[in-house]
């Protein structure tokens, strides 16, 4: 579970057809790709169309989870209904709750961890001092 179910529930609230279609899409493995970037609060997904050999790119921008859980700022989909509420976006949100694993969450590395010691530069002369004359 990489994503809260609240995002999906608020997106499909009051739309039973959207609920059913998104559940069918997830159950029939039509979410082909799912990446959650927790640093930027963005979901990128590819969802296969219902009855065609086509897939649509979905992008969902989420509100910061700590501040207001369940709020979607905006979403886009390449399908004809993409500028409105489409089941591809709903399927990506439901997939994020039901099936997304830790490997679907994009890695974000800490630039300067607090526990790391400060870096010091060592020169070659310090690492390999010149030979002493009496030494063979």
């Amino acid at each position: 579970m990489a994503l809260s179910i609240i995002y999906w529930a608020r997106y499909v609230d009051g739309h039973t057809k959207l609920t059913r279609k998104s559940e069918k899409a997830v159950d029939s493995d039509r979410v082909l790709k799912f990446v959650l970037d927790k640093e930027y609060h963005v979901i990128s997904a590819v969802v296969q169309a219902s009855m065609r050999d086509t897939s649509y790119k979905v992008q969902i921008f989420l509100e910061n989870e700590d501040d207001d859980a369940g709020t979607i700022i905006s979403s886009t989909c390449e399908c004809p209904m993409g500028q409105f509420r489409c089941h591809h976006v709903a399927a990506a949100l439901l997939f994020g709750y039901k099936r997304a694993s830790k490997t679907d969450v994009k890695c974000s590395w800490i630039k300067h961890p607090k526990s790391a010691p400060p870096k010091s530069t060592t020169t070659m002369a310090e690492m390999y001092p010149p030979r002493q004359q009496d030494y063979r």
Side-chain angles (χ1 to χ4, degrees):
M1 175 175 63
L3 194 64
S4 173
I5 191 67
I6 297 171
Y7 289 104
W8 177 78
R10 287 189 180 172
Y11 187 80
V12 299
D13 188 32
H15 299 88
T16 54
K17 186 176 180 181
L18 192 63
T19 303
R20 282 187 280 115
K21 287 182 84 172
S22 64
E23 288 173 340
K24 282 183 182 181
V26 172
D27 292 340
S28 60
D29 295 325
R30 288 200 307 255
V31 180
L32 305 176
K33 180 183 175 188
F34 180 90
V35 177
L36 170 62
D37 189 339
K38 285 195 170 192
E39 185 177 352
Y40 294 107
H41 308 291
V42 176
I43 297 173
S44 300
V46 176
V47 182
Q48 188 175 9
S50 302
M51 292 185 242
R52 296 187 209 152
D53 194 22
T54 307
S55 58
Y56 298 115
K57 291 180 185 174
V58 173
Q59 198 165 32
I60 306 164
F61 298 92
L62 307 173
E63 187 70 37
N64 187 347
E65 235 179 270
D66 300 332
D67 298 339
D68 187 18
T71 303
I72 298 170
I73 296 172
S74 67
S75 63
T76 58
C77 181
E78 293 178 336
C79 76
M81 288 295 294
Q83 55 187 315
F84 306 106
R85 289 185 187 262
C86 74
H87 77 277
H88 304 111
V89 172
L93 291 168
L94 186 59
F95 182 89
Y97 171 72
K98 282 187 166 183
R99 297 200 183 159
S101 66
K102 294 288 184 185
T103 58
D104 294 320
V105 178
K106 189 174 181 180
C107 293
S108 62
W109 304 102
I110 299 173
K111 292 181 182 177
H112 300 289
K114 293 177 184 175
S115 61
K119 291 185 178 182
S120 62
T121 306
T122 307
T123 64
M124 291 297 286
E126 292 172 340
M127 290 175 57
Y128 303 102
R131 290 187 176 180
Q132 297 174 359
Q133 291 183 0
D134 296 338
Y135 183 75
R136 290 187 180 190

